Amino acid sequence: MVLHAARACANSCIARETGLHLDTVRRWRGRFAQAGLPGLKDRQRCGSPLSFTPLQAAEVKPRACRLPACLPACLPACRE
């Protein structure tokens, strides 16, 4: 989004090209204009604290996204 903005693209054009909502483009572009790259960092959110550390989450994500080793044997046979 920032690279599109650097090319002087309009918010509506950026939203269309990236598939983001126009309000999302406006918000992030405004945060970047106000604070630069630090403005794009995640902000504090309300709610319960994180259950896992960033390191734990980074270790689990690759495992969760890997296909089971038994494929295709563990899938049910197609019935016609």
Side-chain angles (χ1 to χ4, degrees), residues 1-2 4-5 9-33 40:
M1 183 182 329
V2 174
H4 285 290
C9 293
N11 288 347
S12 58
C13 178
I14 296 171
R16 187 173 48 256
E17 288 184 15
T18 60
L20 297 170
H21 193 277
L22 180 58
D23 291 340
T24 302
V25 173
R26 284 187 188 128
R27 181 181 324 114
W28 285 97
R29 200 168 177 184
R31 286 174 62 175
F32 181 76
L40 301 180

Side-chain angles (χ1 to χ4, degrees), residues 28-45:
W28 285 97
R29 200 168 177 184
R31 286 174 62 175
F32 181 76
Q34 186 177 34
L37 284 176
L40 301 180
K41 290 184 180 178
D42 281 339
R43 293 182 176 174
Q44 286 286 2
R45 299 174 187 220

